[in-house]
Amino acid sequence: MCWTRSRAAQRGAASISSTTIGPSDLSMDRSDRHFTSDSGATVTLTARAFAKMAEFAAKRSQRETGGILIGHYSEDLTIARIEAASDEPPDSRAGRTWFVRGQVGLAEILQRAWREGRYYLGEWHSHPGASPAPSGPDLSAIAKMARHPTFICHRPILVIIGGNFHQQPLLSATLAAKTGVTTQLRAELYSNEHERLLR
């Protein structure tokens, strides 16, 4: 999977404040992150998965990195819960503003997840020191994946982590439908009571 970032996306953090979680909202070791759409779809990114993404991104902070997202859906398929984020496969290629995810080792990761009752939910990648807003090529890539017949995924999710990975990471989340239409999700904050309901 290839991800690239436009110059506009690198500068556009202020234009997507409704879809990102900023530093004042973050508690890297405590709370899950929730994103919603107008149609009622919810994506929950667990604190553990988010921490792993930030760790992997910080380790390669001079270039982009990424991997796959693993978790499960609610019975009615309206809630996706991301419980794990993989590191980049060793055959991945990357630069400061682009990333091509490799495939080596992913089959084993997904087989193990399947045995645990978890599944492939989508992709994540980083935008070092920049906005987590998806670029045009980012959206095209996840839309193409959604339409591809070999990907068995209800609605692929794209999570991008940007900003300062050590101190102030920012997030965006996008859903792709089988038609190829993408929807950027709003960041939401829930009380503990709501978080329990979403689990």
Side-chain angles (χ1 to χ4, degrees):
M1 183 54 55
C2 178
W3 309 102
T4 60
R5 184 156 32 111
S6 69
R7 296 293 176 202
Q10 293 176 48
R11 297 187 304 268
S15 66
I16 60 158
S17 58
S18 63
T19 61
T20 61
I21 295 181
S24 63
D25 304 319
L26 293 177
S27 177
M28 288 294 288
D29 59 346
R30 288 192 296 144
S31 61
D32 296 345
R33 279 75 182 167
H34 307 282
F35 298 85
T36 61
S37 72
D38 290 337
S39 64
T42 299
V43 172
T44 294
L45 175 66
T46 63
R48 181 177 179 182
F50 179 30
K52 292 305 288 185
M53 288 169 50
E55 175 188 331
F56 297 142
K59 185 166 63 174
R60 304 178 183 97
S61 59
Q62 299 306 305
R63 64 169 178 84
E64 292 195 3
T65 188
I68 62 171
L69 302 171
I70 295 170
H72 59 82
Y73 294 103
S74 61
E75 288 187 14
D76 63 1
L77 300 178
T78 61
I79 299 171
R81 182 173 174 81
I82 300 167
E83 298 178 335
S86 79
D87 198 354
E88 66 177 46
D91 58 332
S92 299
R93 294 179 292 121
R96 180 69 184 171
T97 61
W98 61 276
F99 176 70
V100 180
R101 179 184 53 72
Q103 299 183 22
V104 171
L106 292 184
E108 293 81 3
I109 291 172
L110 289 170
Q111 287 171 1
R112 186 167 58 248
W114 181 270
R115 290 193 297 270
E116 297 168 351
R118 301 187 297 173
Y119 316 97
Y120 169 86
L121 295 184
E123 305 279 328
W124 77 272
H125 72 273
S126 64
H127 285 180
S131 164
S135 66
D138 290 342
L139 295 176
S140 295
I142 198 70
K144 182 178 179 181
M145 181 177 293
R147 292 191 303 266
H148 202 285
T150 61
F151 282 94
I152 304 172
C153 185
H154 173 60
R155 295 187 71 184
I157 302 161
L158 170 62
V159 174
I160 299 176
I161 181 169
N164 182 322
F165 307 131
H166 298 281
Q167 297 177 350
Q168 299 179 343
L170 303 170
L171 288 172
S172 72
T174 303
L175 275 181
K178 292 295 184 186
T179 59
V181 174
T182 59
T183 304
Q184 235 178 315
L185 305 181
R186 292 185 309 272
E188 305 284 0
L189 297 177
Y190 290 102
S191 68
N192 289 336
E193 178 183 356
H194 285 121
E195 287 184 6
R196 283 197 297 272
L197 289 173
L198 286 170
R199 292 172 192 176

